[in-house]
Amino acid sequence: MAEKNINKWEQREGTPYPLGVTSIDGDHACNFALYSETATGVTLLLYAKDDTKTPCYKYSFDLAINKTAHIWHCRVPHTIMQKAACYAYRIEGPDEPASGKRFDPDKILLDPYAEAVYFPPDFDRKAAQKKGSNAGKAPLGVIHTHAPAFDWEETVKPKHTHDTIIYELHVHGFTRHTSSGISPAKRGTFRGVVEKIPYLKELGVTVVELMPVHQNDPQEKDYWGYMPLNFFSPNRSYGSCRQPDALMNEFRAMVKALHEADMEVIMDVVYNHTAEGDENGPTYSYRGIDNETYYLLEDDRRHYRNDAGTGNVLNCADPAVRKMIMDSLRFWVTEMQVDGFRFDLASIFTRNRDGSLNLDDPPLISEISGDPAFTKVRLIAEAWDVSSYQLGVRFPGITWMQWNGKYRDDMRRFVKGDSGMVGSVMTRMYGSDDLFPDSPEYACHAWQSVNFINAHDGFSLYDLVSYNYKHNEANGHDNRDGMDHNFSWNCGWEGDEHVPGEVMELRRRQAKNFCSLLFLSNGTPMFRAGDEFLNTQYGNNNPYNQNNEINWLDWTLKEENEETFRFFKRMIAFRKQHPSLGRSRFWRSDVHWYGTDGPADTLPDSHSIAFYLDGASEEDDDLYVMINAWWNDLDFTIQEGTADDWKRVVDTSLPSPNDIAEPGGEKPIGGITYTVKARSVVVLIRKRTIE
């Protein structure tokens, strides 16, 4: 094909941008671009589809021709590209660990910008951990030269406000169990999630948060996916089809289907470390391409900082690393149409090159916050790491949402019966204005607090009320891994064998109490998949490496615990019907706090609280909530209105279906005093005529 419209310089040299491999329109050639500041030589390797051990083409970059600043680039003509299916690099440079350089010219290295990863039949993690060649055993980038277009049609991306309900799920574990009702070929895949959309609609969730879907190392014990190998490619094990283009479109089809069902899609992303681990880990990509650029190193330069607790930390202060992260985010927003991100250990983004903290204006957070591509994208931070806790305004992303670990811990302690928690519960339910100040200086919003009782990291909701201690023996670390301080209570019986009936009744009630408090709190509620029907992990609070029934949702429990599922479903619907609960701003003067018979009692021995929420400003009904976390019944005197005003919606002490009323089925309370049973939550409603 004629090349008269192709820049002659680019034909000879290639171009430094975009990074990765790019098909050149008009002649089907490909441009390759790779960042490496300290490499002394780069060789591109192309592989045919039927031979991924011996390259079908090699190109050694010429320093005088194929390098611009720190980017190595070349153009490969169509006549060669039509034979190639995969690619990789060999990088030359000093092997001087004492100075932070770890080049190995024999190592086959994966492009950080590869949009799909191929693992050859002889792929071997151990080969990447040793010096020398790993030919035929290394992950390779897949070349997309004729990727089929995906038709998004007229699908509108949803955006939820007061009705935001975040549902955290693991793509594989969500439908892998035989009880999921999904056909075997689709179990544990993106297509499996699509088939469960009617269930998600029935439950009422509006935002699906996917645990990491970036490609990881298939030979590492990383079931959860928090050890990413590559930030541009979806995990091939989550596809029902292994072809890279089909896998990409399978993910897109899932996003499109969720959008059509009025659900946002958020990705849990891990831009703080990689699967290469510490100095004893495998060299797949970043370490061999430019170790000093990609990672934060200790002062001795031989060892890696480990603020993520996983062996290494990405050097987010470096412009090249920031660009890679920004390019990855834009890829998932523009090409895959996701609606937001939950950033794992986001406090890593605030670290300078020497590992110190920059809380004034960390470059990566500023770039993400200021990028026009992310104006309408949800940005959620896990604002801590192993050595830095930045929850609240300490985390410099002022407009970001944040996982509220204080909410989790305070609510757990209160419901289990710890003393001195009433004041903290008031603050958490109000929206955690101690962390997100409602002041002229900060003017934070209540929705910035992502409230949760349970997440993937820790006990499931059922295990929280069934185990006093973690039981992580299956993980292979002698039960030393996982959190020791879970603030859990087993309701008087450890575990799930031969449980007395009264203990099970109390566990179900405690689960409903947690559910009630979560959806009655100002802020953004989130819960983990399976908690709505009391899924169990058998007391394991850290099953990161368990690809088995410990992590797979057991859908038979939905039938067994149908009353809990119904309660969750009704509480979600109740919250969505009452925008007073989930406001943009704090409740301010619309909330009045009370005790059992008068002002709120915040003394250490108090285990109860009540509040009245005036709905007028939100054109909503009025609510009166009474919470008894004590182990004895308490009589509450209602401090607002008359007995005739109020009807009962929720009483977690009552058997289903009386524990929560259907709309229109609310019951009169019959008096100004209401006995709230031990360890119970009661919600009353006063219908307001809106003019």
Side-chain angles (χ1 to χ4, degrees):
M1 181 177 291
E3 299 182 357
K4 62 180 180 180
N5 294 323
I6 304 297
N7 183 296
K8 296 298 182 182
W9 290 350
E10 294 178 2
Q11 285 186 49
R12 179 168 177 256
E13 302 174 2
T15 62
Y17 292 109
L19 290 168
V21 56
T22 310
S23 179
I24 301 173
D25 293 336
D27 67 346
H28 302 297
C30 280
N31 190 83
F32 292 83
L34 177 78
Y35 182 97
S36 182
E37 179 178 351
T38 53
T40 58
V42 174
T43 301
L44 171 67
L45 309 173
L46 299 183
Y47 298 87
K49 185 176 182 179
D50 56 355
D51 185 357
T52 54
K53 183 175 182 179
T54 304
C56 64
Y57 177 78
K58 298 180 183 180
Y59 182 86
S60 295
F61 290 71
D62 187 329
L63 266 171
I65 298 175
N66 302 115
K67 190 165 187 266
T68 301
H70 303 315
I71 299 177
W72 304 73
H73 49 84
C74 72
R75 173 182 173 277
V76 179
H78 170 61
T79 52
I80 295 173
M81 289 307 308
Q82 63 183 349
K83 305 174 185 177
C86 297
Y87 73 109
Y89 292 97
R90 286 206 316 263
I91 311 291
E92 299 172 50
D95 181 17
E96 300 171 352
S99 65
K101 298 176 176 61
R102 292 179 177 271
F103 292 100
D104 183 347
D106 295 321
K107 194 70 70 184
I108 308 299
L109 300 172
L110 175 69
D111 180 7
Y113 277 73
E115 292 183 7
V117 181
Y118 174 74
F119 296 92
D122 294 329
F123 167 72
D124 187 1
R125 174 182 173 85
K126 293 180 179 178
Q129 292 177 293
K130 299 181 294 186
K131 286 286 185 182
S133 176
N134 56 343
K137 302 176 181 180
L140 307 175
V142 177
I143 299 169
H144 292 275
T145 54
H146 302 290
F150 183 82
D151 186 2
W152 292 99
E153 298 179 312
E154 301 298 322
T155 306
V156 177
K157 298 182 72 170
K159 183 67 174 180
H160 294 279
T161 54
H162 81 275
D163 60 340
T164 300
I165 312 289
I166 302 177
Y167 187 75
E168 184 197 39
L169 66 82
H170 188 280
V171 169
H172 187 265
F174 189 53
T175 62
R176 175 59 183 83
H177 200 280
T178 55
S179 63
S180 67
I182 304 299
S183 61
K186 298 179 183 178
R187 287 180 199 152
T189 70
F190 300 127
R191 294 175 70 185
V193 173
V194 173
E195 291 204 9
K196 281 293 185 183
I197 287 178
Y199 169 81
L200 298 175
K201 288 290 288 183
E202 180 188 3
L203 181 58
V205 299
T206 55
V207 179
V208 173
E209 180 175 309
L210 306 173
M211 287 175 64
V213 298
H214 286 155
Q215 182 62 60
N216 63 353
D217 177 355
Q219 291 185 357
E220 184 171 19
K221 293 183 177 180
D222 175 35
Y223 176 75
W224 278 353
Y226 285 94
M227 296 294 285
L229 173 64
N230 178 275
F231 299 113
F232 292 84
S233 54
N235 193 318
R236 64 174 192 149
S237 68
Y238 297 163
S240 60
C241 180
R242 291 294 186 264
Q243 287 76 18
D245 295 338
L247 176 62
M248 300 281 274
N249 281 346
E250 197 170 312
F251 181 91
R252 292 183 176 110
M254 177 192 67
V255 173
K256 178 181 177 182
L258 287 165
H259 284 173
E260 290 173 339
D262 196 33
M263 289 180 231
E264 300 174 42
V265 180
I266 290 177
M267 289 174 56
D268 190 343
V269 288
V270 187
Y271 293 115
N272 58 78
H273 67 275
T274 79
E276 290 188 319
D278 62 16
E279 58 275 7
N280 299 311
T283 298
Y284 288 129
S285 180
Y286 315 93
R287 176 179 291 129
I289 292 172
D290 198 339
N291 189 54
E292 292 178 289
T293 290
Y294 283 105
Y295 296 119
L296 289 181
L297 305 178
E298 295 284 8
D299 292 341
D300 65 8
R301 311 304 289 169
R302 290 180 177 274
H303 299 91
Y304 295 83
R305 285 190 63 96
N306 192 25
D307 303 289
T310 52
N312 63 51
V313 176
L314 278 176
N315 181 11
C316 297
D318 188 275
V321 177
R322 295 203 307 271
K323 176 174 172 51
M324 176 186 71
I325 293 172
M326 294 295 291
D327 287 345
S328 171
L329 293 171
R330 290 192 199 98
F331 170 79
W332 291 98
V333 168
T334 59
E335 296 295 324
M336 311 300 264
Q337 292 291 301
V338 301
D339 305 285
F341 304 95
R342 178 265 184 186
F343 295 90
D344 182 69
L345 302 182
S347 57
I348 295 295
F349 298 169
T350 68
R351 296 197 176 273
N352 296 312
R353 290 176 182 268
D354 62 358
S356 62
L357 297 177
N358 175 0
L359 297 180
D360 295 324
D361 189 23
L364 179 56
I365 292 174
S366 294
E367 289 183 28
I368 295 172
S369 302
D371 195 301
F374 308 139
T375 302
K376 297 182 179 180
V377 170
R378 289 190 189 271
L379 304 173
I380 305 175
E382 182 184 34
W384 56 80
D385 57 50
V386 170
S387 54
S388 174
Y389 195 80
Q390 299 175 29
L391 178 61
V393 293
R394 289 186 61 204
F395 185 81
I398 296 299
T399 60
W400 289 40
M401 303 167 73
Q402 298 180 39
W403 270 27
N404 191 342
K406 283 287 291 178
Y407 181 96
R408 172 199 62 203
D409 294 345
D410 289 348
M411 287 302 188
R412 287 184 176 193
R413 293 185 62 193
F414 175 69
V415 172
K416 74 187 283 284
D418 284 1
S419 298
M421 298 306 300
V422 169
S424 296
V425 167
M426 292 168 62
T427 301
R428 299 299 151 238
M429 297 195 76
Y430 183 75
S432 294
D433 61 326
D434 60 332
L435 301 171
F436 307 95
D438 185 18
S439 64
E441 180 182 3
Y442 294 106
C444 291
H445 296 260
W447 52 259
Q448 289 179 255
S449 172
V450 177
N451 301 331
F452 65 103
I453 306 295
N454 306 86
H456 69 273
D457 192 6
F459 279 144
S460 67
L461 179 60
Y462 178 74
D463 291 357
L464 183 67
V465 298
S466 304
Y467 293 89
N468 283 352
Y469 311 101
K470 66 184 183 183
H471 296 265
N472 297 0
E473 290 80 7
N475 299 344
H477 306 295
D478 297 322
N479 206 33
R480 294 192 303 269
D481 63 308
M483 294 182 290
D484 292 314
H485 302 290
N486 298 285
F487 305 118
S488 61
W489 179 50
N490 63 17
C491 296
W493 191 275
E494 184 72 4
D496 210 28
E497 293 186 7
H498 312 296
V499 183
E502 64 272 16
V503 171
M504 278 303 303
E505 189 280 329
L506 179 55
R507 288 179 178 178
R508 290 192 175 97
R509 191 191 325 156
Q510 289 286 72
K512 293 175 186 177
N513 291 337
F514 278 121
C515 174
S516 299
L517 296 178
L518 178 65
F519 293 118
L520 292 169
S521 298
N522 203 3
T524 302
M526 182 194 80
F527 66 104
R528 58 181 285 172
D531 278 353
E532 69 274 18
F533 53 76
L534 303 183
N535 190 70
T536 180
Q537 292 176 170
Y538 312 103
N540 194 325
N541 74 355
N542 188 43
Y544 72 97
N545 59 0
Q546 299 298 313
N547 186 3
N548 52 45
E549 294 189 358
I550 292 177
N551 266 318
W552 304 343
L553 294 196
D554 181 355
W555 290 87
T556 64
L557 292 172
K558 179 181 178 295
E559 300 177 11
E560 183 177 325
N561 298 303
E562 186 63 34
E563 68 171 77
T564 305
F565 173 77
R566 175 183 175 272
F567 191 90
F568 262 82
K569 181 172 67 172
R570 285 298 319 135
M571 277 304 304
I572 291 171
F574 183 79
R575 180 182 180 88
K576 292 161 78 172
Q577 291 158 5
H578 296 285
S580 277
L581 291 168
R583 304 189 184 193
S584 171
R585 301 290 178 174
F586 294 89
W587 289 339
R588 295 174 176 167
S589 60
D590 285 346
V591 67
H592 303 162
W593 298 97
Y594 297 110
T596 56
D597 188 15
D601 181 359
T602 58
L603 294 175
D605 290 338
S606 175
H607 294 269
S608 61
I609 189 70
F611 68 88
Y612 163 77
L613 186 59
D614 188 324
S617 64
E618 300 291 320
E619 297 186 344
D620 195 4
D621 300 321
D622 300 330
L623 303 177
Y624 199 94
V625 177
M626 296 171 283
I627 307 164
N628 180 12
W630 202 28
W631 37 93
N632 293 315
D633 299 351
L634 289 173
D635 292 333
F636 282 73
T637 300
I638 298 166
Q639 304 294 311
E640 300 277 349
T642 68
D644 293 337
D645 294 335
W646 298 101
K647 292 185 177 182
R648 187 188 72 230
V649 181
V650 172
D651 186 337
T652 61
S653 72
L654 298 176
S656 183
N658 296 320
D659 52 355
I660 184 167
E662 298 287 342
E666 302 87 356
K667 301 296 184 183
I669 59 174
I672 203 67
T673 300
Y674 192 101
T675 300
V676 180
K677 297 294 185 179
R679 302 189 186 275
S680 296
V681 176
V682 173
V683 181
L684 309 179
I685 188 170
R686 179 168 66 184
K687 295 291 185 180
R688 180 183 289 274
T689 302
I690 307 299
E691 296 181 356

